[in-house]
Structures are given as structure tokens and as C-alpha cells.
Amino acid sequence: MRAIIKLLFSLQATLVVASTYGTEYERNKLSAKKARGENASSTPYAVKEPPLTTDWTYKLGTNPWPEYPRPQLQRSEWQNLNGLWTYQNASGLDAVNNPPFNQTLGQEVLIPSCLESGISAEGLMNFPVGIQTSNALYSWFSTSFEVPSSWSGKSVLLNFGAVDYEATVFINGQKAGFNRGGYSAFTIDATKFVKIGGHNEMLVFVHDPTDSGDYVIPIGKQTLRPSHIFYRPCSGIWQSVWIEAAPENYITQLDVSASMDGEGTPSPVQVTVHGSDSSTHEILATQASTSDGAFQFNVASPKLWSPDSPNLYNITVTLGDDQVSSYTGFRTISKGEVDGIVRPLLNGEFIFQFGTLDQGFWPDGLYTPPNKEAMVYDLQVLKKLGFNMLRKHFSYGKIKVETALFYQACDQLGLLLIQDMPALRPIQSYTLENCTSLTYLPDADQQAEFDRQLAVLVNQHKSYPSIGTWSIANFFEVIYNEGWGQVIQGYPEFGLTDMVRSLDPTRLIDSTTGWYDHGAGDYSDNHHYANPQCGTPFYSTASSPYDPTRIGFQGEFGGIGNNVSIEHLWNVQEAINTVNQTYEIDETLSAWNYRAHFLLSELRDQTELFACSGGVWTQTTDVEGEVNGLLTYDRRVLRPDVAQWQADIKALYDAAAGRHNSSMSRM
């Protein structure tokens, strides 16, 4: 078995600041704040009670997300900058030209968090539906830190997991970097901006237009006009911030592709692969090669990764004085004919993929889960019920990209992923002076920016074993969804499919899910509520007929709802008013489980009779005005009859296995 590793390294240092982790870091930060007088005038942090809480809402503390945020390229010398920062609203885009250096910002906020969430402390939870602007369109964030004196002579790298949407970073009065894209990680070389062993001031200017004005940007289901399936936005620094020390020449990117066959092209780096059992440090393989190109290493008879056996191998990569740790899983994703039907294959075998539509929203944190325990809880519930996959998210718009720790959890638990590129602005119109109504669509520059961010998403995620989308972790690549954001003329999904395939040829691509399917990609993906139409000789106007040259897939179905008492609902009247817009409301849990059993049985029948290769149930949790989750939005009520659902899901896998025989040819 062979795996491919590609390393990129920089001859320059990168990035910002620091202080020591844990207690010393908090002490240094407090001293710096006192020196600047921030405690005297900044409003102290406290969770602002959201319209609905979870069991984790008030367990955050002021040191959130202490885990190292980037597990596939991890360094030992690092400092977490999460915690209490200060915030103030900015007047407009021009405010970036007048940074509030050496000033006290008015409100303490918790980082990471969405400004609109309760856990941020700013908690702009009460802005009315239908507004055209938000207090979070333009924002300043500030923190201070000390870089350890032991980092002298090293590069200081400042890392952001994600900032929505544009971030301009200043360190000690100088502009240090800029990033556009609300779902991508970025690193700034702060070496020349920071004072080693001294006080450092960092300001971050954030511009998040969401769907204001004529902006057409990737926003998923965020809107300034929340209503039922469209939710309040997330603005600001919503993923972790940290600094780390690296030598002058350091690794900037690590791409790992570990397949069951190990196909790759050979290209001074030292790679060491450790045993899959984390309790041992047995070295299974070493390989020396050069950076900036692909090369191979061999592992004899590795244990393959799959949902049933999510075996992972630790990796250590050394480039000169730089050493990083990572991990991978050996597995191959492909497609092939099984008994005359095109199927998705994992490690050469047909695997029926069944998962949920996963929005990843939280009532207390919006985009940001309260903590890792809360985030993993959702995944553990899905595994217990028998799901082997989840989809990040597609219905009426791909919604978000998760933290690196989320993908690591899927790698560890054994959940395949369909990772969608967050969609462009939802379908909205504007009126010209002559009363002509036009739809907001991307112009050439906005489409090019979408393409760029899609490429970034693929490149940043293509090493996760669980994804089949753009990471070596996702199982599919999703380009467009249900015609939303699609410029129909010219069918751009074909070009985007080719681009994604060139960036990552190791995965399948679901180019269009539902509606306007012109034949691109590997999936013939049907959306239909509530009844499935998966690989069948029947379909409805909301989707396209099954294409037997591609994989038959039920990209979305279910969606049945069950209303609950107010203590488990998003207590915002505008959202409550839309509950009955759910595709179907079942008045009791027993009725809801009866209907679920009926729909899952239909999908099983289509698997036995036709060409169904998988499906996506809507959805993991309720969200705002939607009440069709397996879990309520607060994660306190689990609707499924666990034994019934486990039996029904197993019946799907058994039906798929019954269609399998040995006459299979790889495509």
C-alpha cells in the first residue's frame, strides 16, 4: 500500500503573536488589558440568553475551544488566542482606513462566536425580520498578547479558522493581512509585525455584507431577513484563532492521499507513519523525499478505513527543523458497475450511503457549537441510529463548512461526508425604476470569486478520510444545489466539475442536486418531499429523470415535522409563525415515527427493485422555524423510536447487499 504526500513550504516566516497557553496566557492577557485600561470601560462579558438554550450554553467559560484547531497539520509550539476579546460596531467600509489603535473597544465578546449569537455576549438576537442592514455588517475586534521570548529567531504564524466574510488584520499599528471568504482558514506571517516577549495589539476589521445591497457571495442559508428555511446570519470570528512558532523554512501545506491501491507519482522531507492503534507508537513506514511535489510511501497491508472500521494512522512529517503531526486513513472511493447498475464504491465494494441533511446550526452559537462535546454529540446520535453518512448541507442552498475538528470527529467515528460548497445569495429580487423585477445573480467577477473560494475549499479539505467532497474525507463534490445560484445559460457546472476533478481526482462529484440536472458529475440526484424517487422509472417536476449512466441517489427526502412545546422551540415569533410551512406536520411522535417507517420502507423497496444507491434524510436537528429534525433544536428531545429506526436503516443496508454480486467492473 502506498500513500501520496505533497508538502509545500515557505522560505519566509509568517504571522503573528502569542503568549503562553492556559493560565499564563490568561494572566498575560489580563495584565495587558489592565495596562490599557480596558476593564474600566469595556462592558464585561456575559452570555446573552438566546431564544433557546442547549445543555452546553452556560458551560462555556472564557476559554472556549482549547483544542488544537488544525489536527492534520499540527505543531507543538502554539498558543490559543480564543477567549475574551473586545468589539465595537464600525461605521462603514471606509472605517478600515482609520483603525482604533490603542483605544478601548466598548464590549467584551467571546471568540470564537457569531456576533448575532447569545454566546458572543454582543448577542444581536433581536433585530427584526425584514431589515435591510445589520449592526454586524462592519465590526472591529481587538485583543492583545505576548509572544514568548523562547520564540526568538523563529517565524510567528497567526492562524484563523474562519472569519465571515472579509477580515483585515492589523498588528501593532501595521496592516498584516487580508482574507475574503467566510468559510476558509488563513494564515498570516506576523514575524515582522510582532514584538518577541513584549505586548502586542491586534485589531481585526470584519465586513460581512450577507445579502445586503447587491452583494452576491457564498452565504449558504444566512439572510438579514430570516424566515423558515433561511436563518439569521453569522458575522465575525466564528472559528478558533491561534499562533504558533515555526522555523524560517516551514511546511505550509500537507496533502495526504492514502488509497487501498496506493496509486501515485513519486516526486529533503522525512515522513514517518505510526500504527493505527493510538496506544502504540510502532513505526510502520518511513520515507525521505523533496517538498513541493508528490511522492509515495508504502505501508504493508494497512487496515482500511470505512464507516464500520474507521482505522486511522498517525503521520509525522519533518522538513529541516520543522516537524508537524498529521493522520490519514487508507481507503479508495470510486464508482463501478455492480450487477449492471452504476454504484458508488468504497474500497472496491458497493456501499449504500444513508445519512442526514446536517445544517450545523446551534440556537446558542449559530455557526459555532458551544464546545467540542456538543458538536460530537450530534454525530454520536447519528452513529447510534445506524447512519453511515451525513451531508453538509444542500437543501435550498449549501449552508456551511465546519471546523477542522468536526471533520476529524467524522474520521474517527466513521461517517462519510458529502461536503457542499456554501451557496450564493438565495433567490431574491429587486425592482428597477420602470417597475421591472430582476433576480440577484452573480456577475462575472462574483462568479469568478465563487470559483476561487470553491477551489480553496477543495484544497483545504481534501486530506480528510471521511470526506468525499473536496477533502480526502468527503464522499462527493457538490457544486450547485436545486438551481440556486445557477446561471443556467452555458451550464457552468460542467466547467466547475472539471475544475474540482482536476484539484481532487480521488472522489466522486455530485454536480447538481435536484432540479436542473444537465448530466454533469457522477450522480443522478433526486430531491422529492416527502416520498423518495431514488433511481426509479418515475419522477416529478421538482427533479429530473434517473440517468442510468450515473449513480441513482436520493439527495433529499423525508422532511416530516413534529411540533413541540415552546420550551424546545426557537422562541422568536416570526419563526414560530412559519412552523406550519414544514412539508408535513405529524401531530404526535407515534404518528411521526409511523410516517418515517413508511418512507424508509419506500426507500428500501426502491433499493430492492430499482437502482437506488443511497439517500439523505431531512434532517439532523430542527433549525429556527423548521421542526423536522431527528433532534429538536436544543438537542433535548430525540424524536426517533431508536429500535425502529435502527431496524429500518439496517433493512436499507441489507436490501443493498442483496443486490450485490461478484460481477463488478471498475469504471
Side-chain angles (χ1 to χ4, degrees):
M1 303 293 178
R2 294 172 294 175
I4 305 166
I5 287 191
K6 181 179 181 181
L7 296 105
L8 304 178
F9 72 99
S10 170
L11 293 176
Q12 302 171 352
T14 341
L15 225 9
V16 244
V17 303
S19 74
T20 53
Y21 179 62
T23 304
E24 185 179 353
Y25 166 73
E26 294 296 333
R27 185 166 57 248
N28 291 340
K29 185 174 178 182
L30 180 61
S31 298
K33 289 181 65 175
K34 288 181 177 179
R36 296 166 57 192
E38 290 184 10
N39 280 350
S41 56
S42 294
T43 302
Y45 169 77
V47 175
K48 182 172 183 179
E49 184 175 2
L52 183 66
T53 65
T54 71
D55 288 342
W56 301 276
T57 302
Y58 299 108
K59 298 178 181 177
L60 292 168
T62 55
N63 183 30
W65 291 90
E67 301 86 1
Y68 187 89
R70 190 186 57 206
Q72 286 200 320
L73 203 166
Q74 183 166 347
R75 290 188 172 89
S76 58
E77 288 188 281
W78 73 287
Q79 308 299 333
N80 195 332
L81 298 187
N82 293 342
L84 296 182
W85 293 38
T86 54
Y87 154 87
Q88 71 182 24
N89 177 247
S91 58
L93 194 57
D94 289 341
V96 71
N97 299 316
N98 188 29
F101 297 130
N102 300 312
Q103 298 179 31
T104 299
L105 306 187
Q107 170 70 57
E108 285 189 336
V109 293
L110 195 68
I111 298 297
S113 66
C114 304
L115 278 177
E116 295 85 352
S117 72
I119 64 174
S120 76
E122 183 58 19
L124 306 174
M125 308 297 296
N126 57 352
F127 61 82
V129 172
I131 63 170
Q132 301 300 310
T133 60
S134 164
N135 289 339
L137 288 178
Y138 310 97
S139 306
W140 282 108
F141 296 86
S142 177
T143 192
S144 59
F145 50 84
E146 291 185 9
V147 178
S149 56
S150 60
W151 291 12
S152 179
K154 300 179 181 179
S155 299
V156 181
L157 311 180
L158 173 62
N159 304 285
F160 290 83
V163 179
D164 196 4
Y165 171 68
E166 295 177 334
T168 307
V169 180
F170 299 86
I171 300 171
N172 293 330
Q174 301 181 71
K175 181 179 177 180
F178 172 82
N179 184 74
R180 175 179 291 122
Y183 304 97
S184 58
F186 61 99
T187 297
I188 298 172
D189 182 348
T191 310
K192 65 182 179 181
F193 302 108
V194 299
K195 303 171 186 175
I196 302 297
H199 168 80
N200 295 274
E201 178 192 43
M202 178 165 63
L203 288 170
V204 182
F205 178 78
V206 177
H207 174 215
D208 183 21
T210 312
D211 56 352
S212 64
D214 59 357
Y215 284 95
V216 182
I217 62 174
I219 57 173
K221 298 178 80 171
Q222 299 181 76
T223 179
L224 297 175
R225 308 155 183 82
S227 178
H228 194 49
I229 64 170
F230 297 103
Y231 319 134
R232 64 194 55 237
C234 170
S235 302
I237 305 170
W238 68 277
Q239 289 192 28
S240 290
V241 186
W242 75 102
I243 58 171
E244 58 192 355
E248 182 180 3
N249 297 335
Y250 57 87
I251 299 167
T252 60
Q253 183 175 329
L254 177 62
D255 299 336
V256 184
S257 175
S259 70
M260 62 173 293
D261 297 323
E263 297 178 357
T265 304
S267 144
V269 250
Q270 180 76 29
V271 179
T272 304
V273 183
H274 302 275
S276 59
D277 185 349
S278 60
S279 65
T280 69
H281 298 280
E282 179 186 5
I283 295 177
L284 302 181
T286 60
Q287 176 68 47
S289 187
T290 58
S291 62
D292 298 325
F295 63 91
Q296 298 173 348
F297 63 81
N298 299 327
V299 174
S301 302
K303 298 177 182 177
L304 300 184
W305 187 96
S306 73
D308 292 333
S309 301
N311 298 299
L312 299 174
Y313 289 78
N314 296 323
I315 296 174
T316 301
V317 180
T318 304
L319 172 69
D321 294 330
D322 194 18
Q323 184 176 95
V324 300
S325 61
S326 186
Y327 69 89
T328 192
F330 289 83
R331 59 99 181 97
T332 295
I333 293 169
S334 61
K335 64 179 179 179
E337 281 196 10
V338 179
D339 199 21
I341 300 174
V342 180
R343 300 292 197 183
L345 307 177
L346 177 64
N347 300 326
E349 298 290 334
F350 167 39
I351 178 171
F352 188 91
Q353 307 154 63
F354 190 58
T356 57
L357 169 70
D358 194 78
Q359 314 242 31
F361 257 69
W362 293 81
D364 40 18
L366 302 181
Y367 266 22
T368 307
N371 55 29
K372 185 178 179 181
E373 176 190 355
M375 179 190 74
V376 173
Y377 174 79
D378 284 2
L379 304 178
Q380 292 171 329
V381 167
L382 297 181
K383 286 291 289 188
K384 178 181 179 180
L385 290 171
F387 292 99
N388 63 9
M389 179 265 284
L390 61 85
R391 187 170 196 169
K392 300 297 308 180
H393 148 280
F394 57 105
S395 169
Y396 284 108
K398 290 130 282 190
I399 188 165
K400 68 179 286 197
V401 180
E402 294 286 356
T403 69
L405 293 170
F406 176 91
Y407 299 103
Q408 182 191 39
C410 292
D411 294 339
Q412 294 169 336
L413 289 171
L415 281 166
L416 290 166
L417 290 169
I418 301 176
Q419 175 63 57
D420 297 11
M421 171 65 186
L424 294 168
R425 182 175 185 161
I427 297 172
Q428 295 174 352
S429 300
Y430 60 99
T431 304
L432 301 178
E433 291 182 358
N434 63 3
C435 297
T436 301
S437 180
L438 298 176
T439 299
Y440 285 105
L441 290 173
D443 59 26
D445 290 341
Q446 291 166 336
Q447 186 66 48
E449 177 61 21
F450 176 87
D451 296 357
R452 184 194 70 83
Q453 291 188 34
L454 171 58
V456 170
L457 174 63
V458 174
N459 280 320
Q460 289 191 353
H461 292 81
K462 63 185 179 182
S463 291
Y464 293 106
S466 58
I467 301 187
T469 297
W470 294 294
S471 304
I472 214 161
N474 277 12
F475 210 54
F476 314 100
E477 305 283 0
V478 180
I479 308 292
Y480 283 108
N481 174 63
E482 296 183 351
W484 178 14
Q486 229 178 24
V487 184
I488 302 303
Q489 299 81 359
Y491 306 147
E493 63 266 32
F494 284 91
L496 288 175
T497 298
D498 291 342
M499 179 188 75
V500 171
R501 191 93 69 189
S502 68
L503 292 171
D504 181 11
T506 69
R507 287 175 176 76
L508 302 176
I509 298 178
D510 190 352
S511 301
T512 310
T513 74
W515 292 52
Y516 304 109
D517 184 356
H518 306 115
D522 299 306
Y523 289 85
S524 181
D525 189 338
N526 177 286
H527 283 192
H528 190 240
Y529 290 99
N531 307 85
Q533 301 171 340
C534 183
T536 63
F538 49 86
Y539 67 99
S540 61
T541 56
S543 200
S544 300
Y546 164 60
D547 176 1
T549 67
R550 294 182 292 157
I551 297 165
F553 192 72
Q554 191 64 45
E556 185 169 353
F557 83 112
I560 57 174
N562 165 251
N563 206 348
V564 290
S565 56
I566 188 63
E567 61 262 34
H568 301 296
L569 283 174
W570 179 248
N571 194 5
V572 174
Q573 191 60 49
E574 292 84 0
I576 294 172
N577 293 343
T578 68
V579 164
N580 282 335
Q581 294 179 23
T582 303
Y583 298 103
E584 172 182 307
I585 293 290
D586 303 317
E587 294 184 351
T588 65
L589 278 181
S590 60
W592 184 89
N593 277 286
Y594 162 77
R595 289 287 293 137
H597 174 68
F598 178 81
L599 294 174
L600 293 173
S601 296
E602 274 197 293
L603 189 67
R604 182 203 63 214
D605 290 345
Q606 293 172 16
T607 303
E608 291 177 339
L609 296 173
F610 304 117
C612 183
S613 291
V616 178
W617 180 272
T618 303
Q619 57 187 338
T620 305
T621 72
D622 295 350
V623 185
E624 299 196 8
E626 300 181 38
V627 292
N628 54 1
L630 302 178
L631 287 160
T632 52
Y633 198 17
D634 60 4
R635 276 72 170 176
R636 291 185 174 114
V637 176
L638 179 66
R639 291 188 175 96
D641 178 313
V642 173
Q644 173 195 306
W645 274 73
Q646 289 173 336
D648 285 341
I649 292 174
K650 183 178 183 299
L652 291 172
Y653 301 146
D654 290 344
R659 296 294 303 269
H660 180 80
N661 65 28
S662 59
S663 60
M664 177 176 62
S665 60
R666 296 285 291 275
M667 298 181 69

